[in-house]
Every structure is written in C-alpha cells, then in structure tokens.
Amino acid sequence: NNSSEMIYADGLIFGQLFGANSVESKPYSQPSGQLDWTKAEGNTKGAKANTDFVYVVNAVKVPGNGTMYPIQPGQSIIIAQTAINHKGNYVDLSGNVVEILKPELTVDLSNADFEVNMTGYLGSEYKYDIQNPNVPDMDIVWWANGNKDLMLDNLGRQAYILFRATDEEINSFGKVKNPSNQTNFIYLQLPNDYILDGVETTQDMGSKLVPKKLQNKQDAGYAYLTAGAYSSTSIIRKTQKVINGRIIVKDTNNSTNDFINIKAEPKVFAH
C-alpha cells in the first residue's frame, strides 16, 4: 500500500498476461514481434485490440466482502503459489517426501497472506499443491492455459497486472484465441482502463527483448533478474523514502527505473 490511507485488498485481482515470448515475423505478428490480436478468433474490437487491451491468461482474486483484509499504509501482502516452508522437507499429496537439498536457495512462505490452491477449481489434487489451512485461498477468476498451479516463467518472460472488475464485467469482456491458432486456449480481453498497476518482466534474449505485453502508459520499461533463472533473486521496487517508518516505494510506471534485484526474501524491502 503506497498510499497514506488504509486500503482493503478484498477483490483485488492479480493477472498474468499472455503474448509472444520471442520476436517473430509471422502473418499473425505485429511489426514489434508481438501477436497481432486483430487476427484473433473472437476479437470484435478491430485495430483497438492491439492498443486498448491486454490479454489475461490467468487471474486470481483476493477473497472477502470488501472490508476483511486491510493493508495499512506502507505495508504489503504476500500471495503464494503454495504457502508452505519451502526451506524444509515436506510430504506431497502422493505421500512422497520432497527433500530440499539447498534450503538457502528458497523461501519460507508458510506465513503468506494468501495462497493459490487449485484443488477446488480443478476438482482434483495436484500432488505439489499443498493446502495450508491457515492461509486463505485466492479465488480463481480466469484460467486459460491448463496449468495445475500458478506458475511463473523461470525466464521471466511475462507481464503482471493488478486490476478490479466485477463478475458481470468479466463476463462482458471479450474472449479470444491466440492469433497463431496454435492452441485452443481462450484469453480474457481486458480493457487497459481497468489496470491499476502493471509490471513488465522480460530479459535480453541476445538480440532483441521479448516483445512487450503492456503499453508504455502502464509500464514504459521492463525489469528482469540479471543473475538469471533459479538464482534465488527477485525484482522489487526501490524504496523511494521512509516517512515515520512507512515505506514508500518507487512507482513511475517505468520498471527499468523502479526495480532492483535483491535476494528473494518475503517482505524484505530494498533500501
């Protein structure tokens, strides 16, 4: 919460965006190398499909009635894929012991504020999707790629957004296929105006950057892990200033300037 007033997390939606992960020149590509969504099956927005919308592959929502989960000024919440202590051995849902050989390379998320448990949504258990009964589950708003858990690309070739929308609004949004027609997954065509904040994470692939999925007004830059995949580092917003103990992080809508690399550690801020 970067404001000076308490806010409620209830209803806040975290979304992962979909798009091209390499620069291609194909019949379904824009000049930038990003997918040309005007050619997507289901698109009814014409040329605006490439400028006025983003394409959500997965979205999860903080539960609550509107006043259940306050975030004080300068405080933050953690949404975990699986809210367990990843530093210690654990038993998966198949009854097998998963040994953690290098605990220093991972984190303890057992005290996360929320977790993404897919069992209820999928109707079956994924063996690594361990339920923490002490941590509230996120609600599944949209799920398009067939994954059995919330997965982040290890190479960081993604963009993430926070937004709010009612069930009725989500039902009214466009639902479109990949313009390449290589899958049958359906993506949520979210108007840019609904985005509260967005972060483009990408990396230099040797010659060109991964094509951006956000417009410059949402994020004029990008951030990535300079140490690479599986390096136990994360990106985090820079601390701009601290007022009476309240942390205010940098947010200029340019992730190149706003983020730095830091060792991954829950609720540890960069100073």
Side-chain angles (χ1 to χ4, degrees):
N1 178 5
N2 223 29
S3 76
S4 59
E5 299 179 357
M6 184 186 71
I7 62 174
Y8 289 97
D10 306 46
L12 189 65
I13 303 174
F14 169 81
Q16 294 175 276
L17 301 188
F18 180 79
N21 280 337
S22 60
V23 175
E24 293 185 334
S25 181
K26 300 286 187 180
Y28 51 78
S29 301
Q30 299 181 54
S32 66
Q34 189 49 267
L35 295 171
D36 184 353
W37 291 98
T38 68
K39 299 177 180 178
E41 182 180 337
N43 175 53
T44 62
K45 306 302 181 183
K48 290 184 178 180
N50 288 333
T51 58
D52 294 7
F53 300 86
V54 292
Y55 295 85
V56 179
V57 56
N58 294 328
V60 293
K61 180 172 68 174
V62 176
N65 60 15
T67 56
M68 290 179 65
Y69 299 109
I71 310 176
Q72 299 295 333
Q75 299 299 306
S76 63
I77 61 173
I78 293 176
I79 299 170
Q81 175 200 59
T82 306
I84 62 173
N85 181 6
H86 296 267
K87 291 178 174 289
N89 297 347
Y90 65 92
V91 178
D92 68 25
L93 297 179
S94 297
N96 299 316
V97 176
V98 178
E99 294 188 40
I100 307 303
L101 302 179
K102 295 184 177 181
E104 70 276 8
L105 298 182
T106 185
V107 293
D108 180 358
L109 294 176
S110 58
N111 292 316
D113 299 278
F114 303 95
E115 69 174 351
V116 181
N117 187 275
M118 301 291 297
T119 302
Y121 179 82
L122 296 175
S124 61
E125 290 183 337
Y126 175 52
K127 66 179 181 178
Y128 297 123
D129 198 12
I130 311 298
Q131 177 82 67
N132 185 335
N134 298 316
V135 176
D137 292 340
M138 298 284 283
D139 295 333
I140 309 301
V141 171
W142 193 259
W143 207 263
N145 62 3
N147 285 347
K148 295 181 179 180
D149 209 347
L150 181 72
M151 304 295 292
L152 308 185
D153 180 44
N154 68 296
L155 296 177
R157 299 166 300 178
Q158 293 188 313
Y160 309 97
I161 59 171
L162 294 175
F163 68 100
R164 291 183 183 272
T166 65
D167 292 344
E168 291 75 17
E169 288 171 323
I170 289 171
N171 289 335
S172 72
F173 295 152
K175 317 296 191 299
V176 302
K177 288 187 177 181
N178 185 334
S180 71
N181 288 321
Q182 293 175 345
T183 70
N184 289 318
F185 297 139
I186 305 295
Y187 303 97
L188 185 68
Q189 189 178 45
L190 179 76
N192 286 338
D193 291 343
Y194 281 78
I195 298 174
L196 302 174
D197 201 6
V199 176
E200 189 88 35
T201 63
T202 181
Q203 66 173 17
D204 191 331
M205 302 301 287
S207 57
K208 296 182 178 179
L209 292 170
V210 174
K212 281 177 63 65
K213 301 172 182 66
L214 289 166
Q215 299 291 317
N216 283 343
K217 63 182 178 180
Q218 283 95 40
D219 192 348
Y222 55 88
Y224 66 97
L225 300 182
T226 56
Y230 305 116
S231 59
S232 301
T233 58
S234 65
I235 59 167
I236 192 168
R237 290 189 184 276
K238 298 175 182 177
T239 296
Q240 183 167 299
K241 54 186 174 181
V242 179
I243 300 177
N244 296 325
R246 175 169 69 94
I247 296 173
I248 299 174
V249 295
K250 191 171 184 179
D251 187 2
T252 66
N253 291 337
N254 185 326
S255 291
T256 303
N257 299 327
D258 293 346
F259 283 81
I260 64 170
N261 279 237
I262 188 174
K263 185 183 185 303
E265 194 66 40
K267 297 201 177 183
V268 172
F269 285 82
H271 294 284

